[in-house]
Amino acid sequence: MPRSRRHFLVESAAAAALLHPGLSLLAADSPKKKPVSPFLEGNFAPVREEFTEENLKVTGTLPKGLEGMFVRNGPNPQFDPVGNHHWFDGDGMVHGVRLRDGKASYRNRFVRTAGYTEEKKAGKPLYGGILDTPDMKKLFAGENPFKNPANTALVYHHDKLLALWEVGEPYELKLPSLETVGPATFGGKLKQPFTAHPKVDPVTGEMLYFGYVPNQPLVLFGTLNKKGEWQKPLPVKLEKPAMIHDFVVTKNYALFPAWPETFDLKRLAKGESPWFFDKQQPTRWVVVPRAGDGKPKTFEAKTAFAFHLLNAWESGDEITVVGCRYPRFPGALTFGEKDDDKTPNAAVPYQWTLNLKTDKLTETPLHDFAAEFPRHNDTLVGQAVRYGYVGVGEGDFFDGLRKLDLKTGKFSDHTYGKGRFGGEGVFVPNPDGKGEDAGWLLTFVYDNAADKSELVVMDAADMTAKPVARVHLPTRVPYGFHGAWVSGV
């Protein structure tokens, strides 16, 4: 997709700002020696081979109503990096398990982005990572020093599966082959960053998305209708530039959290990080009517940051938002920004309540334990939910999933076992079930001792029960980011 010089500036700057919620950035080693990165070791290490395997071994029994394909995106560098490699730098690789008639098959494929293809042709890495100082000559010449790896999330809308990144165009993938079709620019109309976390409204069939502009106090809020047709985005003004990784929607509104993680190119000119978490500034929630026929409202909240929000819904004059909130932006950023605050900074389940009539906001933690990657039953996007599912635990990654009951405050856990670590739990509704939690949670789990991976299927209504089924995979699946379920594939 053609990019103006301004788009290159804002998008490549934003790419340098991404940070995983549960991990600190690797300190840069001397450029004279090859750096050692923990993101190239253990189950962070890449898998270079692409597999296609049928009739996989299954422990337990795959439920009859579980018919479709589980897909998950994540970083997987095709070449050993030459710079200070961080997890976020890897090329996108999508892993998919297709479940049909009680049987399972597996395949994994690189997302053939422009950057991937360019490096593949050259036979070596051509782009630096987010821990490396970007080539400023390229940056100010309008060339992007970072590639779009399309490695963060997946969304299925209007019969299309899209691989997503924070600040670049999506890439369309075929199902079930996972082969790359190419960039999805919606007829060449998409000329803005596209969020890694769009929302598909189960009632209207619309996909709602946004793109933030790092050096401008602006969010562009857009919609694709149920036919996949692009609608002109609505500009939403902010008081200051802000990094916004995720947002929420309700029946009538879209809500953008303008965290005080700000961007200023003047800092870069002084040799400082252009990104700066301003502890003196509040969080500002901007509430925008989805129909575009009303004036946005802004609510002030405590200084904070969140990568991922669970859901939001309306009740009378109030909007409730639930997510995983950090007291401040976690860890150190590239270009030298550091978190010198020694107080704890874990993300905890949290609730904000915004009253549209009184213009008042109240907020409170729901629990005091660390949690991330919140998910819920996606048939209730923008509607009230009782249950949420989050990753918890210590070790290489999450050692289990926790089910939150937002009504009673209780929670229950499914733990993977000693030396076993998994990722985000994706909820799949049971077509024959009744109730919000009637369904299954799916995630990839890595066994450290065996050096093997499985797709684990859990009963979402009974988290403490043993797995319903475990699909044994032909290759190790490196730790990754976000997944999705596509029924009937």
Side-chain angles (χ1 to χ4, degrees):
M1 172 174 62
R3 279 283 192 258
S4 68
R5 181 173 181 271
R6 179 178 66 82
H7 279 114
F8 273 125
L9 286 171
V10 299
E11 292 180 11
S12 55
L18 298 177
L19 180 69
H20 181 254
L23 300 166
S24 298
L25 283 175
L26 175 69
D29 289 343
S30 167
K32 296 180 181 180
K33 62 179 181 179
K34 186 177 180 179
V36 177
S37 170
F39 303 114
L40 297 174
E41 300 174 348
N43 199 41
F44 289 100
V47 170
R48 292 329 183 352
E49 185 177 355
E50 295 180 327
F51 290 81
T52 301
E53 296 285 344
E54 304 289 339
N55 299 318
L56 301 176
K57 177 183 175 182
V58 177
T59 298
T61 303
L62 290 168
K64 291 182 179 180
L66 197 58
E67 299 275 333
M69 193 167 186
F70 173 72
V71 286
R72 199 222 63 197
N73 206 347
N76 192 77
Q78 67 169 317
F79 295 111
D80 289 338
V82 295
N84 297 293
H85 178 73
H86 188 269
W87 194 26
F88 282 5
D89 295 332
D91 299 288
M93 175 175 271
V94 177
H95 302 260
V97 178
R98 191 182 189 191
L99 306 176
R100 298 184 70 185
D101 302 322
K103 296 181 180 180
S105 61
Y106 168 84
R107 68 190 63 220
N108 62 323
R109 295 291 186 272
F110 280 104
V111 183
R112 265 70 173 175
T113 63
Y116 171 92
T117 303
E118 185 181 359
E119 292 183 326
K120 185 75 171 178
K121 184 177 181 180
K124 62 181 180 180
L126 301 174
Y127 292 85
I130 63 173
L131 293 181
D132 299 315
T133 302
D135 186 330
M136 301 307 294
K137 290 183 179 180
K138 281 188 175 182
L139 186 63
F140 288 103
E143 300 177 23
N144 196 341
F146 300 101
K147 64 180 174 183
N148 170 2
N151 67 6
T152 309
L154 297 157
V155 67
Y156 186 73
H157 181 251
H158 189 55
D159 299 327
K160 292 182 179 180
L161 179 66
L162 304 180
L164 308 170
W165 189 50
E166 177 96 348
V167 283
E169 67 268 26
Y171 273 78
E172 183 183 348
L173 308 178
K174 294 180 182 179
L175 285 172
S177 70
L178 299 182
E179 302 296 339
T180 303
V181 176
T185 61
F186 314 113
K189 296 179 180 178
L190 181 68
K191 300 183 183 298
Q192 66 177 81
F194 192 97
T195 178
H197 292 289
K199 311 299 177 188
V200 177
D201 188 320
V203 177
T204 66
E206 296 171 302
M207 180 166 70
L208 301 102
Y209 68 92
F210 73 96
Y212 67 88
V213 183
N215 65 341
Q216 297 182 29
L218 180 69
V219 166
L220 295 170
F221 170 47
T223 302
L224 295 167
N225 66 22
K226 63 181 180 181
K227 297 181 180 180
E229 297 169 336
W230 183 88
Q231 312 294 308
K232 185 177 181 180
L234 173 71
V236 179
K237 293 184 178 180
L238 308 176
E239 288 201 25
K240 293 185 176 183
M243 177 184 178
I244 305 174
H245 182 66
D246 196 3
F247 79 130
V248 286
V249 298
T250 67
K251 179 181 179 181
N252 297 297
Y253 301 96
L255 289 82
F256 301 95
W259 315 108
E261 178 69 13
T262 61
F263 182 92
D264 188 350
L265 276 174
K266 294 178 182 178
R267 292 173 56 86
L268 186 63
K270 295 188 294 184
E272 301 175 332
S273 168
W275 288 101
F276 173 67
F277 186 77
D278 192 345
K279 299 178 182 179
Q280 307 305 314
Q281 291 292 321
T283 296
R284 295 181 174 90
W285 284 91
V286 183
V287 183
V288 181
R290 282 174 53 172
D293 56 356
K295 185 178 180 181
K297 281 193 173 188
T298 300
F299 295 76
E300 287 194 359
K302 294 178 182 178
T303 302
F305 188 84
F307 279 99
H308 302 113
L309 301 169
L310 175 72
N311 199 17
W313 58 90
E314 300 170 35
S315 179
D317 296 320
E318 291 187 336
I319 297 176
T320 299
V321 184
V322 176
C324 294
R325 173 193 181 271
Y326 297 85
R328 60 189 182 279
F329 191 78
L333 272 177
T334 54
F335 304 137
E337 183 183 355
K338 295 182 179 180
D339 179 11
D340 295 323
D341 194 327
K342 303 301 181 183
T343 59
N345 191 31
V348 301
Y350 203 85
Q351 179 174 301
W352 297 264
T353 304
L354 297 74
N355 191 302
L356 299 176
K357 187 174 182 180
T358 65
D359 294 340
K360 291 185 178 181
L361 179 146
T362 57
E363 54 184 307
T364 184
L366 299 177
H367 295 283
D368 61 1
F369 53 76
E372 254 295 1
F373 283 22
R375 294 293 297 255
H376 65 91
N377 184 334
D378 286 342
T379 64
L380 295 173
V381 168
Q383 304 171 50
V385 295
R386 177 173 178 174
Y387 302 111
Y389 306 88
V390 294
V392 293
E394 299 179 353
D396 289 351
F397 212 61
F398 303 129
D399 61 20
L401 293 177
R402 180 164 290 172
K403 178 182 181 179
L404 309 180
D405 188 327
L406 302 179
K407 182 178 180 180
T408 67
K410 296 180 179 180
F411 57 87
S412 57
D413 290 353
H414 182 100
T415 55
Y416 303 132
K418 184 178 180 180
R420 291 167 59 86
F421 303 99
E424 174 189 69
V426 174
F427 184 91
V428 181
N430 183 344
D432 299 320
K434 294 182 180 180
E436 179 185 331
D437 61 349
W440 306 278
L441 290 175
L442 275 61
T443 192
F444 289 127
V445 172
Y446 171 70
D447 189 304
N448 224 340
D451 193 30
K452 293 182 178 179
S453 297
E454 304 168 348
L455 172 67
V456 176
V457 180
M458 293 157 269
D459 183 351
D462 185 2
M463 296 292 287
T464 61
K466 293 182 179 180
V468 176
R470 293 161 46 212
V471 179
H472 302 267
L473 304 179
T475 179
R476 177 177 58 81
V477 176
Y479 298 128
F481 299 138
H482 303 289
W485 171 258
V486 183
S487 296
V489 176

